[in-house]
Amino acid sequence: MRFSYILATSLLAASLQLASGDLIAQKVKSASFSYLPEKSDDRYNQRVPSKTLILPGGGFVILAHKAAGEYTIERYDADLKRLWSAALPLTSDQAVDGFARSAEQAVVVVYQKEGSVQTLSAHTISLANGQKSGSKKLIETGSRDRRPGVSFSSDGTKLVAWRYLTREAQIKAISATVFDEKLQKLKDRTYDFHDQGGFFSTTVHVGNDGTQYVTLVGDEMKKLTVRRYRNDSPDIKVMSVSVGGTFGGKVVNVFDSRFALQPDNMLYAAAICNERESGLYHSLKVIKFDFSGESEMKFAPEVKFTPEYLALVNKASGATAKRLEDVYLTDLFLTEEKQLVVLAEKKFEEGGDDSPGHTRELHVFGYNEFLTPSWQRIVAKDQVAPAAEGFSSIGYRAAMFGSELQLVTWEKIKGKSDLYLRRLNGQNGAVQEPKGLGLNVAADQNPSYVKDFTGWLDAKTIVGVSALAKNLRP
């Protein structure tokens, strides 16, 4: 079995041979690439977490910050040959808020706050020749309103842009517009939340067919709700399930949640619930929302965070924690057999706004195709980044191939700073020990580009960036 790692920056590349569980790296390809690390006012919320988009026909397209006030969109083939480059100049009032691609083009969404208005606009870039369209305004709102949002379908052919309608800082509705990949308007929509009370959270998802799924955590953070809005019908379908409540005299509510819309419009949700008064983690709950046919929900048996579970975490991580803390949901993946893998990660700061950020162990939960819990794993890791980086340079990148989940991290293990690969079996949770890719990624002060530009061309080939040139430092 052969595994290639194509790495860019200077673009260094290495081929990794897997034999008898050993990983041997050798250089295979390289290409020139320059990048200026970005600085963000919100270092904990990356609006464009991945700047490498893999193309189904081979190769990839990247969004690169070349200089202050200038990005470029570039296409490379599988041999690291650059096919074209399109410049995207930005003013000091603008920022990139979205990056996606369909089979024919890439789309870059630009946020701007100027004077009394905030706007989201978009450019399309042809994947065939790099031709860039003019700016198309998607949505506009007042400068004092909440920041507008945008979401893409999984195949990049649809996007929805929205603004919040509020009263005394409380969301009362969302005004949204659905577009096709050519940025032609398909539908204007208003999602009304006057029935939601005083405190809830909401997100808008869009399917490949343009259907919108508005997800809500409401009822004092006890209930998960999904509303479906079609473009060809005024009817709204709603499904709700209570995951919190009072158990054993203790009020339990949603601490963290994540929704994942699949290409077939099946929607999975995971929620970590905790005790309101003590903050103690209570359980993980998973739901499948199926709007096809008569519309059905599948509610998985809860996974409780017992003292025995905490003991497993401490054993795997080498810690002596008295309780679970700072664990947040990060990803939901489906195997080719429709088994669900849920990932959560421990994230925290040492203390204070200017303290380093840490990400530690991964909590991984496996469910069979009937949504029955089948295994649990704790994947130990230890990552740290300077305060200026927030969590943008640490964490992980992951991709599912068949029933195998591949995890790549940048960390320092046994004194060696490198990119490390872990393989996890989605059927039984078996996980391999981390294997260094032999790239000796420098532990410098701006390593976020390492995670930003990591992606999979296929199950055997990863593309990414390693800082070898001094011009990568700000």
Side-chain angles (χ1 to χ4, degrees):
M1 182 177 182
R2 193 169 181 79
F3 188 97
S4 298
Y5 189 98
I6 301 175
L7 185 63
T9 322
S10 264
L11 267 162
L12 169 69
S15 174
L16 306 179
Q17 181 74 40
L18 296 180
S20 302
D22 294 327
L23 198 59
I24 303 172
Q26 54 182 321
K27 182 177 178 179
V28 291
K29 291 182 178 72
S30 65
S32 177
F33 174 72
S34 62
Y35 174 72
L36 180 66
E38 299 165 285
K39 294 182 179 180
S40 172
D41 294 334
D42 185 0
R43 61 181 185 266
Y44 307 110
N45 182 16
Q46 278 190 295
R47 298 186 182 276
V48 186
S50 178
K51 298 181 175 67
T52 295
L53 304 179
I54 306 304
L55 303 177
F60 54 97
V61 61
I62 63 171
L63 174 70
H65 187 224
K66 292 293 186 179
E70 182 179 345
Y71 285 79
T72 63
I73 301 90
E74 300 176 350
R75 179 174 179 175
Y76 291 82
D77 64 16
D79 293 321
L80 295 185
K81 179 183 178 181
R82 190 171 66 183
L83 302 179
W84 51 257
S85 178
L88 180 65
L90 297 182
T91 69
S92 59
D93 297 319
Q94 296 176 315
V96 175
D97 254 31
F99 181 45
R101 62 95 187 146
S102 66
E104 298 182 358
Q105 65 186 29
V107 178
V108 180
V109 175
V110 176
Y111 166 80
Q112 181 167 355
K113 185 175 183 179
E114 184 179 27
S116 61
V117 298
Q118 301 178 78
T119 59
L120 288 179
S121 303
H123 296 270
T124 63
I125 302 94
S126 168
L127 293 178
N129 55 25
Q131 183 175 351
K132 178 169 66 74
S133 72
S135 177
K136 165 83 172 186
K137 184 186 291 185
L138 304 177
I139 205 83
E140 180 178 289
T141 190
S143 61
R144 295 185 178 182
D145 294 337
R146 292 183 181 229
R147 186 165 176 149
V150 64
S151 178
F152 294 90
S153 63
S154 62
D155 66 358
T157 63
K158 307 294 187 300
L159 69 90
V160 57
W162 67 85
R163 64 187 180 98
Y164 297 95
L165 307 178
T166 61
R167 182 184 302 155
E168 297 180 351
Q170 178 61 48
I171 298 173
K172 294 300 181 181
I174 286 177
S175 177
T177 302
V178 185
F179 298 87
D180 66 14
E181 63 180 322
K182 300 301 182 183
L183 303 183
Q184 299 298 310
K185 182 191 295 187
L186 298 177
K187 190 76 174 180
D188 287 322
R189 273 288 192 184
T190 297
Y191 315 125
D192 189 280
F193 305 125
H194 284 81
D195 62 336
Q196 287 299 304
F199 185 58
F200 65 95
S201 65
T202 181
T203 307
V204 183
H205 310 259
V206 60
N208 294 338
D209 62 354
T211 301
Q212 305 107 68
Y213 297 85
V214 178
T215 58
L216 296 151
V217 184
D219 189 20
E220 297 185 346
M221 304 305 285
K222 295 186 183 72
K223 181 182 291 184
L224 302 184
T225 301
V226 181
R227 300 178 180 178
R228 188 191 71 176
Y229 299 80
R230 295 176 59 95
N231 293 332
D232 58 357
S233 171
D235 294 337
I236 304 169
K237 278 195 173 183
V238 181
M239 286 195 281
S240 292
V241 60
S242 292
V243 295
T246 301
F247 304 98
K250 297 178 180 178
V251 178
V252 172
N253 50 215
V254 176
F255 165 74
D256 189 32
S257 62
R258 181 164 290 265
F259 296 84
L261 180 64
Q262 303 303 310
D264 61 359
N265 283 348
M266 297 295 172
L267 193 147
Y268 291 82
I272 292 176
C273 298
N274 67 357
E275 297 176 9
R276 179 176 295 178
E277 293 297 325
S278 66
L280 288 173
Y281 280 40
H282 181 268
S283 62
L284 171 68
K285 299 188 179 183
V286 170
I287 305 96
K288 177 183 177 181
F289 297 90
D290 179 1
F291 282 90
S292 63
E294 297 299 320
S295 299
E296 295 180 346
M297 282 187 298
K298 178 67 175 178
F299 192 65
E302 67 178 347
V303 175
K304 291 188 176 180
F305 296 123
T306 62
E308 291 76 16
Y309 182 83
L310 178 61
L312 290 175
V313 175
N314 284 336
K315 181 179 180 181
S317 62
T320 57
K322 302 299 183 182
R323 56 189 282 173
L324 284 181
E325 292 180 309
D326 305 315
V327 177
Y328 300 90
L329 292 162
T330 49
D331 274 310
L332 284 74
F333 288 97
L334 280 178
T335 72
E336 61 184 0
E337 297 87 6
K338 303 298 183 180
Q339 297 154 335
L340 182 68
V341 178
V342 177
L343 288 91
E345 183 179 42
K346 184 179 178 69
K347 304 179 185 182
F348 65 95
E349 293 178 311
E350 290 180 5
D353 292 338
D354 297 322
S355 62
H358 295 259
T359 57
R360 295 280 173 86
E361 75 272 0
L362 292 174
H363 300 243
V364 193
F365 307 87
Y367 297 78
N368 66 20
E369 63 270 32
F370 306 108
L371 222 58
T372 301
S374 53
W375 53 264
Q376 303 168 16
R377 290 292 180 274
I378 306 300
V379 179
K381 64 182 181 67
D382 187 359
Q383 298 170 279
V384 61
E389 290 283 305
F391 298 110
S392 62
S393 64
I394 50 180
Y396 65 92
R397 280 277 183 260
M400 181 71 77
F401 296 98
S403 295
E404 181 181 82
L405 183 67
Q406 295 187 15
L407 299 158
V408 169
T409 59
W410 168 72
E411 55 188 310
K412 196 170 187 178
I413 298 178
K414 296 180 179 179
K416 183 178 180 181
S417 178
D418 202 350
L419 288 185
Y420 289 87
L421 173 70
R422 294 171 175 87
R423 295 181 162 202
L424 185 146
N425 187 312
Q427 294 180 321
N428 58 30
V431 60
Q432 295 182 1
E433 291 297 314
K435 301 290 185 180
L437 300 186
L439 302 169
N440 301 315
V441 177
D444 61 21
Q445 294 299 298
N446 293 94
S448 62
Y449 56 81
V450 176
K451 193 171 72 170
D452 285 355
F453 291 95
T454 297
W456 280 257
L457 292 183
D458 53 47
K460 299 180 182 180
T461 309
I462 303 174
V463 60
V465 176
S466 175
L468 302 180
K470 293 181 180 180
N471 65 353
L472 291 178
R473 297 176 183 271

